Amino acid sequence: MTPSEIDILSIIPQKPPFVMVDTLIYCDENIARTNFIVRKENILVEDGALCEAGLVENMAQTAAARSGYLSRIEKKILHIGYIGDVKNLEIASLPKINSLLETEIRIKNQIFDITVISGRVMCDKKLVAECEMKIFISNKI
């Protein structure tokens, strides 16, 4: 089964109304890419655009989708991750309602239960946000 054929809700711990990814379009050991359409009913839309926290959460959920997909393939238990640190956050613009976001995360380092990623969010082929994030993985489901 390819990443895009999997129901996103089956591989991420987040549930509506707090889902910030629609489709996992690519995944391997080090990279994951998702798509997300900004909808007006989204809980993190303010004044017609996805707010800064929504962009950070979109990158974090892309990392969660990667972890969930790999766990599913390997028939392992799905774990929950928590954002521990965000560094070098740069936001160029806030995507408007109905925008299609293309998000990519890359694993920079993974030691024990800590994963460091770099994330980039693109909209209309323009970089709208990027950061480095430290994610702590819980052994509890």
Side-chain angles (χ1 to χ4, degrees):
M1 185 173 277
T2 66
S4 61
E5 295 173 316
I6 291 182
D7 174 18
I8 197 74
L9 295 178
S10 73
I11 58 171
I12 63 172
Q14 295 81 7
K15 301 297 174 222
F18 205 70
V19 175
M20 304 296 148
V21 292
D22 292 326
T23 308
L24 178 64
I25 55 174
Y26 177 82
C27 183
D28 67 21
E29 284 295 319
N30 297 306
I31 298 171
R33 293 185 191 103
T34 60
N35 282 343
F36 179 62
I37 297 174
V38 179
R39 294 174 183 84
K40 70 178 180 178
E41 62 273 5
N42 185 288
I43 197 166
L44 294 178
V45 166
E46 299 172 354
D47 299 320
L50 188 65
C51 71
E52 293 88 346
L55 288 165
V56 171
E57 188 61 28
N58 171 258
M59 289 182 267
Q61 289 187 25
T62 299
R66 173 198 160 270
S67 178
Y69 178 73
L70 294 176
S71 292
R72 185 171 181 164
I73 287 175
E74 297 167 3
K75 297 183 173 50
K76 292 183 178 177
I77 295 172
L78 179 68
H79 294 285
I80 296 175
Y82 300 94
I83 300 170
D85 187 30
V86 176
K87 289 176 32 178
N88 304 321
L89 176 63
E90 292 186 28
I91 297 179
S93 65
L94 299 176
K96 305 283 185 219
I97 292 170
N98 297 321
S99 295
L100 172 65
L101 305 185
E102 298 172 348
T103 304
E104 178 179 282
I105 63 99
R106 290 180 180 266
I107 304 301
K108 292 183 75 173
N109 204 345
Q110 195 162 1
I111 301 171
F112 300 111
D113 294 339
I114 301 170
T115 303
V116 178
I117 66 160
S118 62
R120 296 170 51 93
V121 182
M122 307 290 288
C123 182
D124 295 326
K125 300 189 191 275
K126 294 179 186 162
L127 180 66
V128 295
E130 64 183 336
C131 73
E132 183 176 287
M133 192 178 299
K134 191 178 292 182
I135 299 170
F136 296 91
I137 306 298
S138 170
N139 289 328
K140 298 184 180 183
I141 303 171

